[in-house]
Amino acid sequence: HSPYTLSLHDALPILYTKISATRSYVYAVGRACDAGNISRRDCAGVILYSSDRAVEVALGAFIPLFARCWSWS
C-alpha cells in the first residue's frame, strides 16, 4: 500500500516501519565505520537511502493531514 492514499491513522505503522528500517541501516553502517571497515559506497548508500526515506515519510505524513484539512473546508 502507498501511505499517500491511506488515512494518517493507517499510514503511521507503515511510516514507522520505514523509519525503523532506515535507522537500523544507518546504525549498522555507523558501527562498521567505527570498527574501521569504512566503505565509500556504504556511506554514500546510507546517505542516499536515508534522505530518500526521510522525504517519503515526511510526505507520507503530510499528505493525509493536508487531505483531511482540505476536506474540512
Side-chain angles (χ1 to χ4, degrees):
H1 295 289
S2 171
Y4 307 128
T5 59
L6 301 173
S7 70
L8 185 60
H9 179 72
D10 295 333
L12 281 179
I14 296 168
L15 300 176
Y16 179 78
T17 303
K18 289 182 181 190
I19 285 294
S20 294
T22 303
R23 184 183 304 121
S24 295
Y25 180 42
V26 170
Y27 287 169
V29 172
R31 279 192 300 274
C33 289
D34 286 344
N37 301 325
I38 299 173
S39 165
R40 296 177 86 184
R41 287 185 178 178
D42 288 341
C43 293
V46 80
I47 291 169
L48 179 64
Y49 184 79
S50 61
S51 62
D52 184 51
R53 289 295 161 250
V55 170
E56 184 178 351
V57 168
L59 288 174
F62 175 75
I63 290 174
L65 285 174
F66 181 74
R68 183 174 176 175
C69 292
W70 186 262
S71 67
W72 285 348
S73 56

